[in-house]
């Protein structure tokens, strides 16, 4: 294999990894669903090798699992795992926002304001995937502003799980989409005021509300049907 072949192979693997991961996080591939390497390869117009490598990476991420026959399946997430992830997320997001606070300037506020305008335009249950991606960009801007590169590295797998269950929640409980938007507006307003206590309170409120509603959903039959999570 020459250098170009190696580069193309890596590119195909990364492309497959990002695509399959996004399909899982946006709930287009659902818990316990079989992931056929052949079907995915045909769909993405790549060979099965980068698909298998991408699935192995996703297994390490905890998003897919191997079945008894050796095939890959979308991994269900337990209620305890979700609650634990939200608890850690609360600590990290509060700290990231507080560390970003000294670096809040007009340029950052303008970027956040622009993203929130996009989010408002996406307040439609049929656009929940695009809405969640925009909210993720809003949160990422705050993390980057903190100047602490470890936050993104540590938070990515936790945010991934939050996106998974958050998308499910909006899908079956449409009012949550408006609540998420309003909660992030409150975070923006706290940052705009440069008020540390208000920033902390607004971030905690957002994460705690999400956790409470997810737990409520996952302890009824609808949650089990959508997530395939064990209690």
């Amino acid at each position: 294999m020459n250098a170009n072949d190696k580069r193309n192979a890596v590119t195909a693997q990364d492309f497959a990894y990002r695509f399959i991961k996004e399909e899982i996080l946006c709930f287009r591939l659902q818990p316990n669903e079989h992931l056929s390497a052949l079907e995915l390869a045909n769909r993405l117009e790549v060979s099965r090798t980068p698909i298998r490598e991408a699935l192995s990476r996703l297994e390490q991420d905890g998003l897919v699992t191997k079945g008894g026959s050796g095939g890959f399946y979308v991994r269900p997430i337990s209620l305890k795992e979700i609650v634990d992830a939200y608890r850690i997320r609360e600590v990290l997001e509060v700290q990231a926002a507080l560390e970003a606070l000294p670096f809040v300037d007009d340029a950052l506020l303008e970027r956040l304001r622009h993203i929130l305008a996009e989010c408002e335009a996406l307040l439609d249950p049929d656009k929940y995937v695009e809405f969640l991606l925009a909210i993720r960009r809003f949160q990422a801007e705050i993390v980057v502003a903190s100047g602490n590169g470890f936050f993104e590295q540590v938070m990515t797998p936790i945010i991934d799980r939050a996106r998974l269950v958050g998308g499910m929640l909006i899908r079956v409980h449409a009012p949550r989409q408006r609540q998420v938007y309003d909660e992030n507006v409150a975070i923006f307003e706290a940052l705009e005021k440069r008020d540390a206590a208000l920033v902390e309170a607004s971030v905690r409120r957002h994460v705690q509300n999400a956790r409470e509603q997810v737990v409520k959903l996952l302890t009824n039959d609808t949650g089990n049907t959508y997530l395939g999570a064990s209690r």
Side-chain angles (χ1 to χ4, degrees), residues 172-206:
V172 300
H173 183 59
R176 180 59 190 156
Q177 189 175 22
R178 165 60 73 170
Q179 292 166 359
V180 169
Y181 170 75
D182 290 342
E183 289 161 8
N184 279 275
V185 168
I187 293 170
F188 171 82
E189 291 173 347
L191 289 169
E192 189 175 33
K193 293 176 181 177
R194 277 77 166 179
D195 186 323
L198 196 56
V199 167
E200 179 174 353
S202 59
V203 174
R204 286 195 189 281
R205 188 178 308 113
H206 170 54

Side-chain angles (χ1 to χ4, degrees), residues 71-97:
F72 287 96
Y73 295 81
V74 179
R75 177 179 173 268
I77 302 177
S78 71
L79 178 58
K80 182 182 184 305
E81 185 177 354
I82 290 167
V83 171
D84 289 346
Y86 270 102
R87 285 174 177 160
I88 296 172
R89 178 188 169 190
E90 180 179 342
V91 172
L92 292 175
E93 287 200 11
V94 166
Q95 189 61 33

Side-chain angles (χ1 to χ4, degrees), residues 93-153:
E93 287 200 11
V94 166
Q95 189 61 33
L98 291 176
E99 290 193 19
L101 195 54
F103 304 103
V104 172
D105 56 17
D106 290 344
L108 174 62
L109 291 173
E110 183 57 32
R111 291 196 299 274
L112 294 176
R113 190 179 291 110
H114 179 74
I115 295 171
L116 285 174
E118 289 183 41
C119 293
E120 186 175 22
L122 293 168
L123 285 173
D124 179 339
D126 292 333
K127 298 178 180 178
Y128 77 95
V129 172
E130 294 86 351
F131 174 82
L132 288 175
L133 289 173
I135 286 292
R136 178 70 182 96
R137 284 169 39 224
F138 178 87
Q139 296 164 344
E141 283 282 355
I142 297 172
V143 171
V144 171
S146 74
N148 189 333
F150 286 104
F151 276 128
E152 185 171 5
Q153 181 180 347

